[in-house]
Coordinates of all heavy atoms in Angstrom, one line a residue:
F126 N 11.1 0.1 -12.9 CA 10.1 -0.5 -13.9 C 8.7 -0.2 -13.7 O 7.8 -1.0 -13.6 CB 10.3 -2.1 -13.6 CG 11.6 -2.7 -13.6 CD1 12.4 -3.0 -12.5 CD2 12.2 -2.9 -14.9 CE1 13.6 -3.5 -12.5 CE2 13.6 -3.3 -15.0 CZ 14.2 -3.7 -13.8
T127 N 8.5 1.2 -13.7 CA 7.1 1.6 -13.4 C 6.1 1.2 -14.5 O 4.9 1.1 -14.2 CB 7.1 3.1 -13.2 OG1 8.0 3.8 -14.1 CG2 7.5 3.5 -11.7
D128 N 6.6 1.1 -15.7 CA 5.6 0.6 -16.8 C 5.1 -0.8 -16.5 O 3.9 -1.0 -16.6 CB 6.4 0.6 -18.2 CG 6.1 1.9 -19.0 OD1 5.9 2.9 -18.3 OD2 6.2 1.8 -20.2
S129 N 6.1 -1.7 -16.1 CA 5.6 -3.0 -15.8 C 4.7 -3.1 -14.6 O 3.7 -3.8 -14.6 CB 6.9 -3.9 -15.5 OG 7.8 -3.9 -16.5
I130 N 5.0 -2.2 -13.6 CA 4.1 -2.2 -12.4 C 2.8 -1.7 -12.7 O 1.7 -2.2 -12.3 CB 4.9 -1.4 -11.3 CG1 6.2 -2.2 -10.8 CG2 3.9 -1.2 -10.0 CD1 7.1 -1.2 -10.1
S131 N 2.8 -0.7 -13.6 CA 1.4 0.0 -13.9 C 0.6 -1.0 -14.7 O -0.6 -1.1 -14.6 CB 1.6 1.3 -14.7 OG 2.4 2.1 -13.9
K132 N 1.3 -1.8 -15.6 CA 0.6 -2.8 -16.4 C 0.0 -3.8 -15.5 O -1.1 -4.2 -15.7 CB 1.5 -3.4 -17.4 CG 0.8 -4.3 -18.4 CD 1.7 -4.8 -19.5 CE 1.1 -5.8 -20.4 NZ -0.2 -6.4 -20.1
A133 N 0.8 -4.2 -14.5 CA 0.3 -5.3 -13.5 C -0.9 -4.7 -12.7 O -1.9 -5.5 -12.5 CB 1.4 -5.7 -12.6
A134 N -0.9 -3.4 -12.4 CA -2.0 -2.8 -11.7 C -3.2 -2.9 -12.6 O -4.3 -3.2 -12.2 CB -1.7 -1.4 -11.3
A135 N -3.0 -2.5 -13.9 CA -4.1 -2.5 -14.9 C -4.6 -3.8 -14.9 O -5.9 -4.0 -15.0 CB -3.5 -2.0 -16.2
D136 N -3.8 -4.9 -15.0 CA -4.3 -6.3 -15.2 C -5.0 -7.0 -14.0 O -5.9 -7.8 -14.2 CB -3.1 -7.1 -15.8 CG -2.7 -6.8 -17.2 OD1 -3.4 -5.9 -17.8 OD2 -1.7 -7.3 -17.7
T137 N -4.5 -6.6 -12.8 CA -5.1 -7.1 -11.6 C -6.3 -6.5 -11.2 O -7.2 -7.0 -10.5 CB -4.1 -7.1 -10.5 OG1 -3.7 -5.8 -10.3 CG2 -3.0 -8.1 -10.6
G138 N -6.5 -5.1 -11.6 CA -7.6 -4.4 -11.2 C -7.4 -3.6 -10.0 O -8.3 -2.9 -9.5
I139 N -6.3 -3.6 -9.4 CA -6.0 -2.9 -8.1 C -5.9 -1.4 -8.4 O -5.6 -1.0 -9.5 CB -4.7 -3.4 -7.4 CG1 -4.6 -3.0 -5.9 CG2 -3.5 -2.8 -8.2 CD1 -3.5 -3.8 -5.1
R140 N -6.2 -0.6 -7.5 CA -6.0 0.9 -7.5 C -4.6 1.1 -7.1 O -4.2 0.7 -6.1 CB -7.1 1.6 -6.6 CG -7.2 3.1 -6.7 CD -8.2 3.7 -5.8 NE -9.5 3.2 -6.0 CZ -10.4 3.5 -7.0 NH1 -10.0 4.5 -7.9 NH2 -11.6 3.0 -7.2
A141 N -3.8 1.8 -7.9 CA -2.4 1.9 -7.6 C -1.9 3.4 -7.9 O -2.3 4.1 -8.8 CB -1.6 0.9 -8.5
Y142 N -1.0 3.8 -6.9 CA -0.2 5.1 -7.0 C 1.2 4.7 -7.2 O 1.8 4.1 -6.3 CB -0.5 5.8 -5.7 CG -1.8 6.5 -5.7 CD1 -2.9 5.6 -5.5 CD2 -2.1 7.8 -6.0 CE1 -4.3 6.1 -5.5 CE2 -3.3 8.3 -6.1 CZ -4.5 7.5 -5.8 OH -5.8 8.0 -5.9
V143 N 1.7 4.9 -8.4 CA 3.0 4.4 -8.7 C 4.0 5.4 -8.9 O 3.8 6.4 -9.6 CB 3.0 3.5 -10.0 CG1 4.3 2.9 -10.3 CG2 1.9 2.4 -9.9
S144 N 5.2 5.4 -8.3 CA 6.3 6.3 -8.5 C 7.6 5.6 -8.9 O 7.9 4.5 -8.3 CB 6.6 7.1 -7.2 OG 5.5 7.9 -6.8
R145 N 8.3 6.3 -9.8 CA 9.7 5.8 -10.1 C 10.5 6.1 -8.9 O 10.7 7.3 -8.6 CB 10.2 6.4 -11.4 CG 11.6 6.1 -11.8 CD 11.7 4.7 -12.1 NE 13.0 4.4 -13.0 CZ 14.2 4.0 -12.4 NH1 14.3 4.0 -11.0 NH2 15.1 3.7 -13.2
G146 N 11.2 5.1 -8.3 CA 12.2 5.4 -7.3 C 13.4 6.1 -7.9 O 14.0 5.6 -8.8
L147 N 13.7 7.4 -7.5 CA 14.7 8.2 -8.1 C 15.9 8.2 -7.2 O 15.8 8.6 -6.0 CB 14.2 9.6 -8.4 CG 12.9 9.7 -9.3 CD1 12.3 11.1 -9.2 CD2 13.2 9.3 -10.6
S148 N 17.1 8.0 -7.7 CA 18.3 8.2 -6.9 C 19.3 8.9 -7.8 O 19.1 8.9 -9.0 CB 18.9 6.8 -6.4 OG 19.2 6.0 -7.5
Y149 N 20.3 9.5 -7.2 CA 21.3 10.2 -8.1 C 22.7 9.5 -8.0 O 23.2 9.3 -6.9 CB 21.5 11.7 -7.5 CG 22.4 12.5 -8.4 CD1 21.9 13.2 -9.4 CD2 23.8 12.6 -8.0 CE1 22.8 13.9 -10.3 CE2 24.6 13.3 -8.8 CZ 24.1 14.0 -9.9 OH 25.0 14.8 -10.7
D150 N 23.1 9.2 -9.1 CA 24.6 8.7 -9.2 C 25.3 9.6 -10.2 O 26.3 10.3 -9.8 CB 24.6 7.2 -9.7 CG 23.7 6.9 -10.9 OD1 23.0 7.9 -11.4 OD2 23.7 5.7 -11.3
T151 N 24.8 9.7 -11.4 CA 25.4 10.7 -12.3 C 24.2 11.5 -12.9 O 23.1 11.1 -12.8 CB 26.0 10.0 -13.6 OG1 24.9 9.2 -14.2 CG2 27.1 9.1 -13.2
Q152 N 24.6 12.7 -13.5 CA 23.5 13.5 -14.1 C 22.7 12.7 -15.1 O 21.4 12.8 -15.2 CB 24.1 14.8 -14.6 CG 23.1 15.8 -15.1 CD 22.1 16.3 -14.0 OE1 22.4 16.3 -12.8 NE2 20.9 16.8 -14.4
E153 N 23.4 11.9 -16.0 CA 22.8 11.2 -17.0 C 21.7 10.2 -16.4 O 20.6 10.1 -16.9 CB 23.9 10.4 -17.8 CG 23.4 9.8 -19.0 CD 22.9 8.3 -18.7 OE1 23.5 7.7 -17.8 OE2 22.0 7.9 -19.4
G154 N 22.2 9.5 -15.2 CA 21.3 8.5 -14.7 C 20.1 9.1 -14.1 O 19.0 8.6 -14.2
W155 N 20.3 10.3 -13.4 CA 19.3 11.0 -12.8 C 18.2 11.4 -13.8 O 16.9 11.2 -13.6 CB 19.9 12.2 -12.0 CG 18.9 13.2 -11.5 CD1 18.7 14.5 -12.0 CD2 18.1 13.1 -10.4 NE1 17.7 15.2 -11.2 CE2 17.3 14.4 -10.2 CE3 17.8 12.1 -9.5 CZ2 16.5 14.6 -9.2 CZ3 16.8 12.3 -8.4 CH2 16.2 13.5 -8.3
E156 N 18.7 12.0 -14.9 CA 17.8 12.5 -15.9 C 17.0 11.3 -16.6 O 15.8 11.4 -16.9 CB 18.5 13.3 -17.0 CG 18.8 14.7 -16.4 CD 19.8 15.5 -17.4 OE1 19.9 15.1 -18.5 OE2 20.3 16.5 -16.9
R157 N 17.7 10.2 -16.7 CA 17.1 9.0 -17.4 C 16.0 8.6 -16.5 O 14.8 8.2 -17.0 CB 18.2 8.0 -17.6 CG 17.6 6.6 -18.1 CD 18.6 5.6 -18.6 NE 19.7 5.4 -17.6 CZ 19.6 4.8 -16.4 NH1 18.4 4.1 -16.2 NH2 20.5 4.6 -15.6
R158 N 16.2 8.5 -15.2 CA 15.1 8.0 -14.4 C 13.9 9.0 -14.3 O 12.8 8.6 -14.3 CB 15.7 7.8 -12.9 CG 16.6 6.7 -12.9 CD 17.3 6.5 -11.5 NE 18.5 5.7 -11.7 CZ 19.7 6.1 -11.5 NH1 19.9 7.4 -11.1 NH2 20.8 5.4 -11.8

Side-chain angles (χ1 to χ4, degrees):
F126 306 106
T127 41
D128 264 27
S129 302
I130 295 165
S131 302
K132 185 173 177 351
D136 291 353
T137 52
I139 201 166
R140 192 179 298 285
Y142 288 72
V143 182
S144 291
R145 173 67 162 93
L147 304 166
S148 58
Y149 182 87
D150 45 4
T151 59
Q152 186 59 23
E153 186 274 329
W155 171 251
E156 284 173 12
R157 178 170 47 78
R158 289 175 201 113

